[in-house]
Amino acid sequence: MGEWAARYDPIAHGFSDSQLPSLNDDRIGRCLDRLFRSDVTSLVLALATHVIREFQVDIDELHNDSTTITFHGAYGSCPLCETSVPGFGVIG
């Protein structure tokens, strides 16, 4: 996992350079186990609420499809928005 993540800007994954060595299969497995046991509905709702507030998204008309999350538009000072994601191109 660390080798894969090292090919990309660490900030795109929420890591600093010094944290990449601790990214490994065992840690990812434990995180996925915890995610599986968690309340994913509340997690997705909290994420959507944060994005709506952070980027002042107009929700006068909203279709809540929690199977995917797609962001469109220009986000001035968001470092993740200029990040290329394999299979998805540039976010933002």
Side-chain angles (χ1 to χ4, degrees):
M1 294 301 301
E3 291 175 9
W4 168 82
R7 295 184 295 175
Y8 305 98
D9 183 4
I11 197 167
H13 303 289
F15 293 102
S16 67
D17 287 327
S18 64
Q19 292 174 311
L20 285 179
S22 64
L23 182 62
N24 58 55
D25 293 347
D26 291 333
R27 179 167 281 186
I28 296 296
R30 287 190 303 271
C31 289
L32 290 173
D33 285 344
R34 288 183 71 186
L35 180 60
F36 180 76
R37 291 189 308 266
S38 69
D39 179 7
V40 176
T41 304
S42 293
L43 175 66
V44 171
L45 181 59
L47 173 65
T49 301
H50 173 77
V51 169
I52 289 166
R53 288 182 180 148
E54 179 73 22
F55 296 106
Q56 300 172 357
V57 176
D58 180 11
I59 57 171
D60 287 341
E61 295 182 33
L62 175 68
H63 173 72
N64 184 14
D65 176 359
S66 60
T67 58
T68 60
I69 298 177
T70 305
F71 302 100
H72 298 276
Y75 305 98
S77 62
C78 176
L80 294 177
C81 298
E82 300 303 323
T83 302
S84 178
V85 176
F88 295 96
V90 176
I91 297 173

